[in-house]
Structure formats: structure tokens, C-alpha cells
Amino acid sequence: EETEFTPLIRNLPVLEWHRWFDIIDRAEGTDGLIKLWGACRRQLEELPEHPGLLLINGVCQLDDDSSNEHGLTDIGAAFITLARNYPKMDRVAVARRLITLVRRRFPSRLDGLLLTLLDSFPSREMVLLCYEYAPLHSHSHKKALFLLVTNLIHRLRKEAR
């Protein structure tokens, strides 16, 4: 079934990640997210490694308690695909925009999102970003802090040699 999202998703650019979020912002409420999710699922059959489709598909599923893990899995796959196939894209900027979106629309999913980002792309910049937004004493806060300290220890050992 075609929806207003079908043509937007069918022509979704890979490198213009700002447009991914513009489309998500057009999906109002649960009904809008369901329509957007349906359009993404159909297009993912043809383009299973499109990072924008994976990210949008994952975000749409954050609204549904039963599919929360699937949504985070798709978001993680989007960042892995970005790192592998589009290394010049600013993944930290994409993550920052995603974190802002999740904080606004799905605040209970923030910790899970940050853990997913840390698992998918644990660069120093990503770890710092996740640490900045992680709720104090949350799992993501502890993991980001651990990664920061581990990185610091490695650097100190390297300098001592």
C-alpha cells in the first residue's frame, strides 16, 4: 500500500543524511511512524544496506515496545554500514542529530540508543558524544566512561614506552 512516504523513501539519497531526519520529522504520531516504517520495509527489500533506510526503519520501531530491540539493531546496522561503505560521512554528526531526535520523541530509548552507538562505532568522538548525553549512572554512562578510561590508559602506556 502506497503512502505519502513511499515516494520520499523510494528516492532517499544515501549521502544527504539531513533529509533522512526531515522525513522522520514528517511522520507524526504512531500512525505516521507506522506508515513510514511500512514504506521503509518495502524499500529495504531492494536496498538492504542503505544506511538511511536502516536508520529510519530503526527509529520507526522505537515507538513500539515489542520491537525495540529490532529498531536498535537496525540503527546499529546503519552506523556499521556508514563506517564500512561511506567512511567520509560524518557519523558523529548523524549520531548527534539522532540523539536529539530520540531525546525529544522517545526519551525512554536514549540509554539503549547510546549503547547501540557505542557498540556500532566506538571512535573517540562517538564515545565522547555518548558520554555527554548518557544519563548519569545509566548503562550507557558506565560503558562510555569505561571506554574513555580504557583509551586513556592505552595512550598513557604508549607514551611511557
Side-chain angles (χ1 to χ4, degrees):
E1 175 181 323
E2 297 253 333
T3 69
E4 65 269 25
F5 296 109
T6 304
L8 298 171
I9 292 300
R10 192 177 295 131
N11 300 311
L12 188 68
V14 173
L15 299 177
E16 297 174 35
W17 61 266
H18 290 91
R19 291 190 44 204
W20 306 347
F21 291 97
D22 293 342
I23 292 170
I24 294 169
D25 288 340
R26 292 174 85 166
E28 295 182 11
T30 300
D31 288 342
L33 289 170
I34 290 170
K35 289 177 183 177
L36 180 54
W37 180 63
C40 277
R41 285 183 45 143
R42 286 187 294 277
Q43 196 63 25
L44 275 168
E45 291 174 11
E46 293 180 35
L47 300 166
E49 289 200 2
H50 188 302
L53 291 173
L54 288 165
L55 187 136
I56 293 170
N57 197 57
V59 168
C60 289
Q61 293 178 78
L62 294 179
D63 194 45
D64 178 10
D65 287 337
S66 64
S67 65
N68 183 29
E69 290 304 313
H70 295 294
L72 293 174
T73 300
D74 284 346
I75 290 169
F79 278 88
I80 290 168
T81 300
L82 285 173
R84 184 180 58 232
N85 299 339
Y86 308 95
K88 294 186 183 211
M89 187 176 289
D90 187 352
R91 293 174 294 282
V92 174
V94 177
R96 185 178 301 279
R97 179 83 184 264
L98 180 59
I99 290 167
T100 300
L101 170 80
V102 168
R103 288 178 70 201
R104 181 173 38 90
R105 290 186 72 169
F106 315 104
S108 66
R109 305 290 191 233
L110 180 61
D111 192 50
L113 171 66
L114 296 174
L115 287 169
T116 298
L117 293 173
L118 290 168
D119 287 340
S120 303
F121 185 64
S123 70
R124 184 174 66 83
E125 295 82 9
M126 185 68 78
V127 172
L128 287 169
L129 177 69
C130 290
Y131 180 77
E132 176 184 345
Y133 286 100
L136 193 60
H137 306 297
S138 65
H139 293 294
S140 59
H141 181 263
K142 292 172 189 171
K143 183 167 188 155
L145 184 59
F146 174 79
L147 291 170
L148 287 171
V149 170
T150 302
N151 188 6
L152 180 62
I153 290 170
H154 287 305
R155 283 185 164 189
L156 290 172
R157 286 182 179 158
K158 204 177 205 180
E159 287 179 15
R161 290 182 196 158

